[in-house]
Amino acid sequence: MRQKPPANRRSTTIPAHSLSFSRVNVLLGLAGGVSVAAGYVFLANGSITAAPLLLVLGYVVLLPMAIIK
């Protein structure tokens, strides 16, 4: 008589909801990196308007979108 495998045995297949990065993710990540780098360049030059905007755009908008999307 054949026995059933234990119920707690893990499956070796990749789940359908695994992360996969596409071209859009790479482009958003690059845009976020460029935005952050430009923000620090403007910050070093004394900008009080453009630097914070670019840094927030990079860190809060573009880089998270690169991970999530």
Side-chain angles (χ1 to χ4, degrees):
M1 190 180 247
R2 201 169 167 189
Q3 293 181 351
K4 289 184 179 180
N8 62 357
R9 187 176 230 181
R10 291 187 178 181
S11 175
T12 58
T13 60
I14 297 173
H17 61 276
S18 67
L19 292 176
S20 62
F21 289 103
S22 66
R23 186 175 182 166
V24 173
N25 298 93
V26 173
L27 291 176
L28 285 171
L30 287 174
V34 168
S35 174
V36 168
Y40 280 115
V41 168
F42 281 119
L43 190 63
N45 289 330
S47 171
I48 60 171
T49 305
L53 290 175
L54 286 171
L55 290 170
V56 168
L57 177 70
Y59 281 124
V60 178
V61 178
L62 293 174
L63 290 176
M65 280 180 60
I67 296 170
I68 295 171
K69 193 152 183 125

